[in-house]
């Protein structure tokens, strides 16, 4: 699962496949290598095998779901265990270098650092499943409560960014295909190549400079309160949403263009053309059903990127979301917060990647109508 | 190689990269002031003694920009070279060895990639002490997961070719197969990938510095300079935008060259096939 | 020219056609290549014209020009394409659209790619008829059912309900023919419709196509590289080479009395024959009860045994999926057998490649089907042929160069090729270099995996003759894997017939290729098109008689 965000630069034409499947590389492998799907099939024995044969679609989706749960579990282990394995004693960090050994000892006990790590991991994971992430070292507040508030804000931001960027990206991608290798396509290509290279914070400050400071049409910082009305909130997030859209748009558009072009150059589109069908019919009836899967895939992958893009944008606009919470916690080394935020961000990322894969599976006629 | 075959856009990219590297190499010679010298009032406007004005502490922005090129390019390049070597060695080993080694490396890589890079970096940097080499190492390791994926795919594509099988049938060892049979055939796509990774590293480093987790002050680096000067934005002071623009320009230049390299690779393939 | 007097009322009349293609190499000025020049022909209503030529002869391009269509950067730059007297090249977009899929239809080589995976076959078959308003949905469905029956598709009533990936390659090719015939067109362009099929499937599809076009009185342009195929189906034949007409005449004249040297060579290609070795008792290579499969328990070879005397040729023949290439992989050690053993020169070979010594590897060499992918594109001929010399014999410097030159001489290529890259060689030259690379190891056995099937017939003939010559010179043995019975006749001493991973028949050529046959060998032998008019009818008639007799 590739982080297909603006930071990765231009995508090769096969960008969709590139980002979508962690296993896609296996497809080009030699047949002698068992692929992981088979390996998993063997685990369950004959019942599973029969199930795969009878309901290949359901089996594939179940497999993908299982993989995601396993992945999330492994990630939680890495986020928790990895931190333990790395050097540096938190108690010392917490109190500063001049602390007495006695104070360090006390604080270790306070934070529960004296228990074995497997025990702490299990209790942490058990809590995390129920939404309890312990208390922050810095503020002594419940991490879960803080996250509940801020997660909503972050999702609000990402949701509107998605609503604006998805139709725009798909539309521009189709426009680029329509004018392939002509001026509009070339302009879109150059502009999107440039847009991919812009760091989020640069785009953010540029927008602030023009729209908030010079023209005064937007607000900065983009603070939201509980007491704000819905429209007030919307106007507050206008600039951060615009930033996110600009950042994610170019990528989504380029990948959409590549996906549609791939379908348009296929033999069955040529067949349709040789049947004397009109351009509209060719696109609507022959290209679109096959382009849906890769385009949905592109969208899901870029939404996954939004989850991460939110971090920087929130810092730029001083927006009270998860990203800012996490960055603040990292600077003061507030580990419970860092772990909780890391796990939640990773969960969203894994979930969206999974959604991308499952949608691609569902849209594949070969799997929908088995032999 | 035919110089005339290089398109205009790639020339712009090459020129931009050349200027940046020149600044990085000869920073002390061309910079009008020292990297850390406070030379005037804070946030002086551009013009006069200070071509681009001064920053939040009254240091010359142009000088810091030139020194910043040095830090930014050095760290990004070091991280890229490291991540590339690491990713290449592991991916080629996986592709050539196959079997368990391949499975193990690939599954572990999938796991690493299941966490978004920036989030992973934040978690890891929260724990580790702040040193330049640790920063480079973290960037390199995280980025090598991407290199591994591409490298393995490319190597596998070539490794199933019959000429590699023929070499294996002859009894050639892995070293010959990797360096004489596979590597020469994967050079173009990998060169393009190197450019991509470098552009990514520049942006990633800048983002980390901007969040206060990258290069630590008072050393000048472009992302950090944006962070230093961001408070001026509300007062209409554009000091933060200048290093931001520098990052964007360098990244665009690298991408322009990569774009050309990629087109060249694909057209080479096509040309051979038709002939 | 056949029937040139009636050119006036020809259905399709192509006059002095010129087709060019422009490619845009980045950074270089665009290049224009002439693909077809000065081609003219006439096609009467209900007749079939065969266009034949090697790959790159421009035959597909000509076929598509009947639909006023050019792939990629291909443009028709000169001449006329008259359909019922009207030049379709001068029509506007709508005019061309009203012809495509209504009056002229197209059948592609790969039906698997040409059908849209997202829609049912039936809907795709009747689509053109409906969109052009030729018939109502009910009528179109009825016609589709009729065509499915004529083309011999299984369960014609429900066939249209299926998706492309749910039916076999041969059925798809027939469905594509049904799709082309459905709107009742005046002309169909068949672009190598049976090339991608196995030989036993090809004959059925060929018969179905022939039957269907006769039944519906549709004219056809039949494009293929196989003269024996086109002889069965066409009234006239045009032989093309490098985009120009070589010979144009009636099928009878072209097959039985070719005028041009090139045509004569095409007709006689399959007539090389060689007597088998009288004594076949030796066993240089012995394969005993070998079974093999890939990972996940999928078995590809079942209990296969055969043997080969020194200096002779064993041909392994079978269709795709018969396991013949897998057997080659087992012999080389790339795929260790799960059961059985392989003995070479009286000594059992280690199962896996890793277990074999350098000398064991040296003695068995391999030649691949695609010389393109079998040679490293970044190495010169000198490196490619020289590497086995330095690897096995430690040769270097002048001695190595001298030996490479000697080998190039042996494969009838000059030393001027020494520093060329594979991309700078033609297909036949590449295969010769691959042979030189194998010879450089001074092997005792060479495994040839369809070394000529990707080559044009004349070039393939040259390669076969070279292999025979080398066998006489060096007494090397060949295991020759092929799907082509004609090649087996030409070069084999002993023959093994394989089908679905099992050995069907094994023995001296004269015994294997002579009756009494088992069912599969009989089918295989009878399915190979022969360069003879009326062969298809004869085979079909025999089949009908046999089924009536049973």
């Amino acid at each position: 699962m590739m982080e297909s965000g603006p930071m990765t630069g231009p995508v090769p034409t096969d960008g969709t496949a590139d980002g979508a499947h962690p296993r896609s590389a296996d497809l080009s492998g030699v047949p002698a290598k068992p692929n992981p799907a088979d390996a998993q099939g063997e685990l369950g024995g004959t019942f599973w095998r029969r199930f795969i044969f009878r309901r290949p679609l359901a089996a594939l989706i179940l497999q993908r779901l299982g993989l995601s749960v396993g992945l999330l579990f492994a990630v939680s282990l890495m986020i928790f265990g990895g931190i333990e394995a790395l050097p540096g004693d938190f108690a010392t960090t917490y109190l500063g270098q001049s602390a007495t050994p006695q104070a360090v000892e006390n604080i270790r006990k306070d934070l529960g650092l004296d228990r074995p790590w497997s025990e702490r991991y299990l209790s942490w994971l058990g809590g995390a499943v129920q939404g309890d992430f312990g208390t922050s070292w810095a503020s002594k507040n419940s991490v879960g409560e803080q996250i509940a508030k801020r997660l909503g804000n972050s999702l609000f931001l990402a949701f509107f960014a998605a609503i604006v960027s998805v139709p725009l990206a798909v539309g521009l991608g189709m426009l680029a295909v329509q004018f392939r290798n002509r001026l509009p396509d070339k302009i879109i290509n150059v502009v999107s190549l440039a847009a991919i290279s812009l760091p989020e914070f640069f785009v953010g400050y540029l927008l602030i400079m023009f729209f908030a400071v010079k023209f005064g049409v937007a607000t900065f910082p983009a603070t939201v309160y509980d007491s704000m009305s819905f429209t007030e909130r919307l106007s507050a997030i206008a600039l951060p949403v615009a930033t996110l859209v600009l950042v994610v748009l170019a990528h989504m558009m380029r990948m959409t263009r590549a996906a549609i072009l791939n379908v348009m150059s296929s033999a069955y589109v040529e067949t349709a053309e040789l049947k004397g069908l009109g351009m509209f019919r060719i696109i609507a009836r022959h290209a679109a059903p096959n382009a849906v899967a890769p385009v949905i895939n592109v969208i899901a992958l870029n939404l996954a990127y939004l989850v991460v893009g939110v971090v920087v944008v929130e810092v730029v606009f001083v927006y009270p979301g998860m990203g800012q919470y996490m960055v603040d916690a990292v600077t003061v080394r507030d580990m419970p917060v860092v772990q909780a935020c890391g796990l939640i961000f990773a969960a969203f990322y894994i979930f969206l990647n999974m959604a991308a894969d499952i949608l691609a599976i569902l849209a594949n006629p070969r799997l929908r109508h088995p032999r | 190689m035919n110089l005339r075959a290089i398109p205009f856009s790639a020339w712009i990219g090459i020129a931009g990269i050349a200027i940046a590297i020149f600044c990085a190499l000869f920073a002390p010679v061309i910079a009008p002031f020292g990297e850390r010298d406070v030379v005037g009032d804070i946030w002086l406007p551009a013009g006069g003694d200070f071509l681009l004005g001064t920053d939040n502490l009254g240091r010359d922005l142009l000088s810091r920009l030139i020194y910043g090129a040095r830090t930014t390019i050095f760290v990004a390049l070091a991280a890229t070279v490291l991540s590339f070597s690491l990713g290449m060695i592991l991916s080629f080993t996986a592709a050539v060895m196959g079997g368990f080694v391949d499975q193990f490396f690939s599954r572990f890589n999938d796991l690493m990639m299941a966490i978004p890079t920036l989030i992973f970096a934040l978690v890891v940097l929260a724990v580790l002490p702040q040193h330049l080499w640790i920063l480079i190492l973290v960037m390199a390791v995280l980025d090598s997961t991407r290199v591994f994926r591409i490298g393995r795919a490319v190597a596998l594509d070539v490794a199933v070719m019959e000429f590699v099988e023929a070499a294996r049938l002859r009894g050639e060892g892995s070293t010959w197969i990797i360096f004489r049979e596979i590597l020469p055939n994967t050079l173009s796509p990998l060169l393009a990938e190197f450019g991509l990774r470098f552009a990514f590293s520049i942006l990633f480093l800048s983002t980390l510095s901007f969040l206060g987790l990258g290069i630590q002050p008072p050393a000048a680096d472009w992302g950090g300079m944006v962070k230093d000067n961001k408070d001026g934005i509300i007062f209409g002071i554009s000091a933060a935008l200048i290093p931001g623009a520098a990052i964007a320009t360098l990244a665009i230049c690298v991408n322009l060259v990569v774009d050309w390299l990629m087109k060249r690779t694909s057209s080479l393939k096509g040309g051979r096939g038709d002939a | 020219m056949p029937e040139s007097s009636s050119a006036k009322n020809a259905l399709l009349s192509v006059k002095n056609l010129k087709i060019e293609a422009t490619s845009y190499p980045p950074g270089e000025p665009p290049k224009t290549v002439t693909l077809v020049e000065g081609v003219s022909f006439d096609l009467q209503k209900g007749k079939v014209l065969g266009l034949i030529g090697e790959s790159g002869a421009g035959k597909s391009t000509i076929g598509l020009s009947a639909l006023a269509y050019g792939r990629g950067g291909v443009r028709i730059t000169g001449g006329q394409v008259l359909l019922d007297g009207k030049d379709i090249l001068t029509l506007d977009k709508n005019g061309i659209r009203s012809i495509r899929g209504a009056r002229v239809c197209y059948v592609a080589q790969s039906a698997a790619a040409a059908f849209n995976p997202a829609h049912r076959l039936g809907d795709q078959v009747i689509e053109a008829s409906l969109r052009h308003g030729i018939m109502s949905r009910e009528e179109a469905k009825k016609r589709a059912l009729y065509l499915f029956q004529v083309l011999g598709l299984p369960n014609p009533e429900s066939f249209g309900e299926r998706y492309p990936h749910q039916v076999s390659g041969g059925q798809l090719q027939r469905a594509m023919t049904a799709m082309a015939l459905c709107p009742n067109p005046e002309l169909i362009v068949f672009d190598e419709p049976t090339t991608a099929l196995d030989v036993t499937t090809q004959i059925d599809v060929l018969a179905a196509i022939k039957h269907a076009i006769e039944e519906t009185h549709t004219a056809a342009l039949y494009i293929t590289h196989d003269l024996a195929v086109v002889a069965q189906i066409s009234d006239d034949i045009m032989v093309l080479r490098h985009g120009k007409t070589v010979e144009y005449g009636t099928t009878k004249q072209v097959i039985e009395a070719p005028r041009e040297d090139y045509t004569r060579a095409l007709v006689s290609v399959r007539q090389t024959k060689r007597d088998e070795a009288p004594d076949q008792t030796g066993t240089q290579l012995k394969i005993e009860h070998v079974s093999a499969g890939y990972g996940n328990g999928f078995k590809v070879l079942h209990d296969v045994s055969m043997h080969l005397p020194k200096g002779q040729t064993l041909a392994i023949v079978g269709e795709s999926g018969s396991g013949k290439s897998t057997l080659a992989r087992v012999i080389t050690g790339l795929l260790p057998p799960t059961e059985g053993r392989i003995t070479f020169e009286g000594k059992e070979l280690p199962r896996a490649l890793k277990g074999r010594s350098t000398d064991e590897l040296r003695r068995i060499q391999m030649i691949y089907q695609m010389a393109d992918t079998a040679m490293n594109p970044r190495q010169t001929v000198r490196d490619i042929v020289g590497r086995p010399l330095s690897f096995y014999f430690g040769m270097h410097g002048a001695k190595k160069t001298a030996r490479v030159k000697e080998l190039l001489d042996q494969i009838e290529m000059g030393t001027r090729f020494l520093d060329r890259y594979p991309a700078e060689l033609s297909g036949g030259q590449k295969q010769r270099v691959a042979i030189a690379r194998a010879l450089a190891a001074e092997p005792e056995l060479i495994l040839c995996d369809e070394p000529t099937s990707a080559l044009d017939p004349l070039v393939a003939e040259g390669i076969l003759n070279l292999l025979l010559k080398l066998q006489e010179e060096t007494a090397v043995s060949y295991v020759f894997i092929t799907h082509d019975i004609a090649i087996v006749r030409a070069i084999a001493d002993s023959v093994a017939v394989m089908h679905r991973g099992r050995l069907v028949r094994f023995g001296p050529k004269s015994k294997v290729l002579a009756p009494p046959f088992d069912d599969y060998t009989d089918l295989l032998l009878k399915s190979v098109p022969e360069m003879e008019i009326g062969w298809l009818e004869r085979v079909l008639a025999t089949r009908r008689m046999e089924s009536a007799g049973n």
Side-chain angles (χ1 to χ4, degrees), chain A residues 3 7 10 18 26 197 333, chain B residues 117 128 149 152 200 207 255:
Chain A
E3 179 185 329
M7 287 186 151
D18 192 60
D26 290 313
S197 316
R333 312 210 156 194
Chain B
T117 315
L128 292 174
R149 245 174 64 93
R152 182 172 171 279
F200 177 81
T207 302
N255 273 332

Side-chain angles (χ1 to χ4, degrees), chain C residues 129-370:
Chain C
S129 313
L130 297 187
R131 302 309 296 182
H132 289 293
I134 295 167
M135 44 188 96
S136 72
R137 179 170 287 273
E138 283 315 305
E139 288 167 336
K141 274 189 174 169
K142 237 193 218 162
R143 179 156 172 87
L145 176 60
Y146 160 73
L147 289 169
F148 289 158
Q149 280 163 345
V150 170
L151 286 158
L153 283 164
N155 307 320
E157 292 81 14
S158 61
F159 185 79
E161 297 296 309
R162 304 167 87 178
Y163 283 87
H165 65 274
Q166 294 172 322
V167 306
S168 73
Q171 290 170 1
L172 267 187
Q173 210 67 51
R174 287 185 231 191
M176 183 118 203
T177 308
M179 183 156 85
L181 282 166
C182 187
N184 218 343
E186 293 153 60
L187 172 67
I188 297 186
V189 178
F190 290 95
D191 193 352
E192 305 246 16
T194 62
T195 306
L197 303 175
D198 270 327
V199 65
T200 51
T201 321
Q202 163 173 290
I203 183 171
D204 291 331
V205 175
L206 199 61
I209 289 177
K210 188 177 165 85
H211 180 55
I213 50 185
E214 275 168 6
E215 192 83 351
T216 54
H217 309 290
T218 314
L221 271 182
Y222 197 98
I223 298 163
T224 177
H225 67 279
D226 192 336
L227 196 51
V229 164
V230 88
Q232 309 311 320
I233 207 158
S234 64
D235 300 293
D236 297 335
I237 290 179
M238 174 176 268
V239 182
L240 292 156
R241 196 182 197 193
H242 306 315
K244 294 193 177 101
T245 310
V246 175
E247 183 161 356
Y248 177 32
T250 62
T251 301
K252 194 173 162 58
Q253 179 255 305
V254 172
I255 300 288
E256 289 170 5
R259 279 189 287 251
E260 300 293 322
D261 286 346
Y262 180 70
T263 321
R264 222 167 285 142
L266 284 183
V267 172
S268 65
V269 151
R270 296 185 175 209
Q271 286 163 8
T272 339
K273 270 182 193 159
R274 167 174 172 266
D275 296 330
E276 66 185 55
D279 177 29
Q280 301 198 4
T281 48
T283 50
Q284 182 191 39
L285 176 75
K286 202 167 168 190
I287 298 164
E288 291 169 290
H289 306 291
V290 162
S291 295
Y294 291 105
N296 52 48
F298 184 64
K299 220 169 163 191
V300 192
L301 281 183
H302 306 266
D303 191 23
V304 171
S305 302
M306 56 186 82
H307 60 86
L308 168 66
K310 199 173 169 65
Q312 297 191 8
T313 302
L314 163 64
I316 303 177
V317 62
E319 299 176 89
S320 58
S322 63
K324 55 189 195 301
S325 290
T326 307
L327 185 58
R329 291 175 67 85
V330 171
I331 298 173
T332 56
L334 281 170
L335 180 69
T338 48
E339 286 159 56
R341 57 188 207 147
I342 296 168
T343 329
F344 187 69
E345 296 280 5
K347 210 177 133 219
E348 186 176 342
L349 280 176
R351 286 161 183 268
L353 189 62
K354 275 182 191 163
R356 300 192 182 175
S357 69
T358 309
D359 197 52
E360 279 168 329
L361 293 173
R362 179 190 66 75
R363 286 154 62 161
I364 303 179
Q365 292 291 311
M366 178 132 180
I367 302 171
Y368 292 86
Q369 175 178 6
M370 306 296 288

